[in-house]
Amino acid sequence: MALHSWLLFVAAVVVLCGTPGPNMLHVLTRSVALGWRGSLPAMAGCLTALVGVLAASAAGLTALLTAVPGLFDVLRYAGAAYLAWLGFRAWTAKASPADAMPTDLPRAHLFRGGFLVGISNPKLLLFASAFLPQFVDPARPQAPQFAILVATFALVECLWYAAYALGGSSIARHLTRPRVRRWFDRATGGIFLGFSAALLASRA
């Protein structure tokens, strides 16, 4: 994998993972209720689901891309469209406060809750099928490249979990302010749209 492709992937994933979505909001609300230590089982559940779905999807994609060469370009354009859609959705999103969470749940329950949130997130399947292939060089062995991308995604996701958990109530307080959340969403949407254009231009 070319270094510039990996760096572009890292930049895109930092924004994608940092954007408040199901996993991040789940970790955030758990940390607000339980503290960052108490939210660790929820983080582990979310991350387990994420890595499992991405790894399984990437394994299937490797075989498909090998068998159907034309599929690579189809997925590349679909991925750019997906990023553009994420940008539009973020730009037009309406802020909603994080829900309060119970404070007396066992670790197994917290892990299971995080896992269910992660496994039910459609972003994972869309990401694996439409986004990952754009950063893979079809002329080189694809399995190692997918492994690098999945591992990179998991690491960045884990770092954002820590940031959200450590920020806890402070982050929650700022993101629940309609004006702040609106500008945050618009900035995120603009970045996604920029990434979509950059990915199309880099493979033109």
Side-chain angles (χ1 to χ4, degrees):
M1 176 184 301
L3 179 60
H4 72 273
S5 295
W6 181 78
L7 291 175
L8 184 59
F9 175 79
V10 171
V13 169
V14 166
V15 176
L16 180 66
C17 291
T19 302
N23 285 11
M24 294 302 167
L25 290 180
H26 184 72
V27 170
L28 178 64
T29 53
R30 291 302 192 189
S31 70
V32 169
L34 306 172
W36 74 269
R37 291 181 184 275
S39 66
L40 289 176
M43 292 186 221
C46 290
L47 190 63
T48 299
L50 181 144
V51 173
V53 171
L54 287 181
S57 298
L61 281 172
T62 299
L64 278 176
L65 291 175
T66 301
V68 187
L71 184 60
F72 186 89
D73 285 333
V74 172
L75 292 178
R76 179 165 64 87
Y77 287 111
Y82 173 54
L83 277 181
W85 175 75
L86 286 177
F88 173 79
R89 189 179 64 174
W91 186 275
T92 59
K94 294 182 179 179
S96 59
D99 296 328
M101 292 291 181
T103 60
D104 57 350
L105 298 174
R107 291 182 179 181
H109 184 90
L110 292 170
F111 178 89
R112 182 169 63 252
F115 182 85
L116 291 175
V117 168
I119 204 71
S120 64
N121 187 357
K123 171 179 84 173
L124 294 181
L125 292 176
L126 287 172
F127 183 87
S129 62
F131 189 50
L132 291 180
Q134 298 184 74
F135 301 92
V136 173
D137 186 347
R140 301 179 183 181
Q142 296 175 14
Q145 295 182 73
F146 276 117
I148 291 172
L149 295 178
V150 171
T152 300
F153 186 91
L155 177 60
V156 173
E157 180 89 350
C158 193
L159 292 175
W160 271 113
Y161 288 167
Y164 270 70
L166 291 172
S169 59
S170 176
I171 294 176
R173 183 171 62 254
H174 288 298
L175 290 181
T176 53
R177 295 177 183 176
R179 184 186 181 94
V180 174
R181 181 61 185 271
R182 182 167 58 252
W183 283 107
F184 179 87
D185 287 337
R186 288 184 176 180
T188 301
I191 292 172
F192 275 130
L193 291 171
F195 276 128
S196 175
L199 286 171
L200 286 176
S202 68
R203 295 298 183 101

